Amino acid sequence: MAGRGLVAHAVKLGILALLDAVAVWAAVSLLLRGDHLLLAVLAAGALLLNFVVLSRRAYPLRFLLPGLVFLFAMVVYPIGYTINVSLTNLQTGNLLTKNQVITQLENRYYLPPDHATFSYWAFRNPQGELRVILLADDGRSYLSERSALLPVDLADPRFVQGADGTVVAFDDFTRLSLAQIYQSLPALERLDLMLEGVHVRLATVREFGTYLRKYEYLRDVDAIRDLETGIVYTAREGYFTSPDGVRIEPGFQIYVGFRNYLDVLRNPGIRADFTRVFGWTVAWSFLTVFFSFWLGLVLAYLLNDPYVRGRFFYRSLLIIPYAMPAFISALVWAGLFNTDLGVINRIIGELFGTKVRWLQDPFWARTALIFINVWLTYPYMMIVSLGALQSIPKEMYEAARVDGATGWQRFWTITMPLLWVSVAPLLIGSFAFTFNNFTIIWLVTAGRPAVLGAATPAGATDILISWTYRLAFEGDRGNQLGLASAVSIIIFVIIATISAVNFRFTRALEDVSRGV
């Protein structure tokens, strides 16, 4: 045992040493990148890991640490990251950091009116290195060497002349054909060659030209100067902006405080969309839970009757929607509700000679969604209700019957109070789940039909979570990630409130059950 314990201890220390080595390697990389926040998190995590493994006092933490790590990685970090994004202007056009934008602008060039041009030959060696020979109008020739252009004499024997008198090879480089030049255009466009202090870059597929830098960053005043026009653009609201309001694209990320949250409350267009989407989300959740619960309860009540024959068969049949994957059922129902080709409209057409615009009309699209979700969730309610009904003592019904209570009175005074204790927390949980049921909405309608005049991509059947997705990835004005993150935090607060009510309600119902 002592030998096995020693081996196990050695293996443990070896694994810890390996993890520490990886942590040191990652720390050096983070330090070189200047990512001090992640470096601090990594250092704290590595120290905590060593403390937990090596200290006897931290023995209980060995069992808690894996769960805490996943809690931090899967819950705490995403919430913190979302909150951080919600306080920024992160959106299409403002995806880069300020330093990245400055670097990008300082690498922009323009062709001055008196620019010189060079015809060229491109060459590539077996290792894939690309070099060019530029031919000036005055007969001078230049060979690219890294980022420089060096004067060369093409009569030098190192340059192999072809039948037409042009250079076809030198050293181990072979001249590219026109087709190969087209294939190498991205690499040619990246060439930034210097000749006597002037940038020489690819101007057209057939020639290079002399370029001048377009922008210069003025660090002292935090501004960008246009070297072509002399206009100074100051950093304002995530863009370098000229005195007359002209912005240079792209913009950069800045912290905007609670502006995204205030936009939800103050911006008339966003507020109107949020109010409409929030109202439909509440209605969608409530109606789905209401209809699925009562349908499930009625079926459970019938199947709980011992005099009903074939109860096992009916239970198996009614549970089929719950057994099928929800996304398959949603896609099937989307096909059935298709206005032109769906079976439902075909039957309605045969009976009434008309068609219902199920997925194009807001009212009917919402009706179809609620119907589909009730179809998917009533088996769950039926199973829960059936189990709760079977847990109610039969003696209570017999005593009530002896006292002369009718069936209706027994249902409302015995069944429902005791049933409520079991299912009410589940109903609140179902409401919270339906509140964020992105799958059904997206697979059936994708939030459509569109709403005329909407300020954001909020469709008639969008719930808050699908609206958030469309804000983040489908906006007409681009991806509004900051605003989408703010809405996500609002949804989080709503769900947290529902959960708190659920816990409170559960304790209250426990008191009720003790009084029955």
Side-chain angles (χ1 to χ4, degrees):
M1 287 295 292
R4 290 183 180 178
L6 189 61
V7 171
H9 189 67
V11 170
K12 183 175 67 178
L13 292 180
I15 294 175
L16 181 62
L18 182 63
L19 291 176
D20 283 343
V22 173
V24 170
W25 170 79
V28 172
S29 300
L30 293 174
L31 183 63
L32 293 177
R33 286 171 45 186
D35 202 335
H36 299 110
L37 179 60
L38 280 181
L39 178 62
V41 172
L42 176 66
L47 290 174
L48 179 62
L49 178 63
N50 281 271
F51 174 70
V52 169
V53 174
L54 300 177
S55 173
R56 290 183 178 276
R57 290 183 300 170
Y59 190 82
L61 280 177
R62 298 180 188 181
F63 303 96
L64 296 176
L65 188 60
L68 292 175
V69 169
F70 281 106
L71 176 68
F72 178 82
M74 303 294 182
V75 179
V76 177
Y77 177 74
I79 292 175
Y81 184 78
T82 305
I83 292 174
N84 180 62
V85 173
S86 72
L87 301 177
T88 70
N89 66 337
L90 187 63
Q91 58 186 349
T92 298
N94 297 84
L95 298 176
L96 304 177
T97 64
K98 191 174 183 180
N99 288 335
Q100 289 173 323
V101 170
I102 291 172
T103 302
Q104 192 177 103
L105 294 178
E106 287 187 324
N107 285 317
R108 288 186 183 179
Y109 301 89
Y110 72 99
L111 274 172
D114 56 345
H115 68 277
T117 58
F118 305 86
S119 57
Y120 74 96
W121 300 318
F123 301 83
R124 193 183 291 279
N125 66 4
Q127 291 74 38
E129 184 183 354
L130 185 68
R131 298 178 69 176
V132 292
I133 292 178
L134 303 188
L135 307 172
D137 293 337
D138 58 5
R140 288 183 292 178
S141 305
Y142 303 92
L143 174 64
S144 66
E145 179 72 35
R146 299 183 185 280
S147 62
L149 283 173
L150 305 178
V152 291
D153 182 2
L154 297 183
D156 191 307
R158 67 181 289 207
F159 296 104
V160 180
Q161 307 289 332
D164 58 353
T166 61
V167 177
V168 296
F170 68 93
D171 301 337
D172 61 341
F173 286 83
T174 306
R175 182 171 157 185
L176 302 181
S177 65
L178 185 60
Q180 291 172 320
I181 286 178
Y182 274 105
Q183 294 173 354
S184 304
L185 274 181
L188 288 168
E189 289 172 342
R190 286 195 296 271
L191 290 178
D192 184 13
L193 308 170
M194 296 300 296
L195 177 63
E196 298 174 355
V198 178
H199 294 269
V200 179
R201 302 172 64 90
L202 187 69
T204 70
V205 71
R206 295 187 179 279
E207 64 181 16
F208 277 66
T210 52
Y211 283 77
L212 297 178
R213 275 182 60 194
K214 176 70 174 172
Y215 297 108
E216 175 190 25
Y217 179 59
L218 307 175
R219 192 171 301 278
D220 295 340
V221 293
D222 190 21
I224 288 285
R225 177 163 58 200
D226 188 331
L227 297 175
E228 182 179 6
T229 63
I231 298 175
V232 175
Y233 297 79
T234 55
R236 193 189 313 166
E237 296 293 325
Y239 289 92
F240 286 108
T241 309
S242 70
D244 55 355
V246 177
R247 291 175 167 177
I248 302 177
E249 299 284 352
F252 49 86
Q253 298 175 39
I254 59 170
Y255 281 97
V256 295
F258 293 97
R259 183 196 297 173
N260 291 318
Y261 296 93
L262 295 177
D263 279 345
V264 176
L265 301 175
R266 294 179 179 176
N267 187 301
I270 298 176
R271 184 179 59 201
D273 289 347
F274 175 82
T275 304
R276 176 170 51 77
V277 172
F278 179 73
W280 158 239
T281 305
V282 173
W284 144 263
S285 305
F286 175 78
L287 293 175
T288 296
V289 174
F290 178 82
F291 286 120
S292 61
F293 169 68
W294 282 105
L295 179 60
L297 178 60
V298 169
L299 294 173
Y301 207 78
L302 294 175
L303 295 176
N304 195 45
D305 190 334
Y307 298 103
V308 174
R309 293 183 177 180
R311 288 187 297 166
F312 178 77
F313 172 75
Y314 292 129
R315 287 177 188 174
S316 302
L317 196 65
L318 291 171
I319 209 171
I320 287 178
Y322 194 52
M324 291 182 64
F327 71 92
I328 292 179
S329 296
L331 292 174
V332 169
W333 277 108
L336 294 175
F337 277 112
N338 186 282
T339 302
D340 299 318
L341 306 173
V343 174
I344 295 175
N345 254 1
R346 196 177 303 168
I347 296 173
I348 293 175
E350 292 289 337
L351 295 176
F352 305 105
T354 185
K355 287 184 178 180
V356 178
R357 301 176 70 243
W358 290 108
L359 304 181
Q360 290 75 37
D361 182 85
F363 174 79
W364 291 115
R366 291 172 175 176
T367 303
L369 282 170
I370 292 174
F371 177 86
I372 294 171
N373 212 22
V374 170
W375 166 268
L376 291 172
T377 53
Y378 86 83
Y380 170 73
M381 298 296 182
M382 184 186 71
I383 294 171
V384 171
S385 300
L386 196 57
L389 288 173
Q390 292 175 349
S391 67
I392 300 175
K394 305 297 181 188
E395 294 79 7
M396 300 184 71
Y397 291 107
E398 293 173 0
R401 192 177 292 109
V402 170
D403 290 341
T406 63
W408 194 248
Q409 288 173 324
R410 292 196 297 274
F411 178 78
W412 284 110
T413 56
I414 298 175
T415 304
M416 281 308 295
L418 293 176
L419 189 70
W420 202 243
V421 173
S422 303
V423 302
L426 298 176
L427 294 182
I428 297 174
S430 296
F431 182 90
F433 177 80
T434 309
F435 202 87
N436 278 336
N437 196 340
F438 175 85
T439 307
I440 304 302
I441 297 292
W442 195 253
L443 291 179
V444 177
T445 65
R448 277 71 173 181
V451 175
L452 293 176
T456 63
T461 59
D462 264 320
I463 59 176
L464 283 176
I465 191 67
S466 64
W467 181 49
T468 303
Y469 176 83
R470 297 180 67 186
L471 278 174
F473 303 110
E474 284 195 351
D476 294 336
R477 294 186 303 171
N479 303 332
Q480 303 178 65
L481 299 172
L483 179 60
S485 297
V487 176
S488 298
I489 296 302
I490 293 173
I491 296 174
F492 171 75
V493 172
I494 293 172
I495 297 300
T497 304
I498 293 174
S499 300
V501 171
N502 189 9
F503 288 127
R504 178 67 179 170
F505 198 60
T506 302
R507 285 200 296 271
L509 288 175
E510 289 174 355
D511 297 336
V512 171
S513 67
R514 284 193 288 270
V516 173

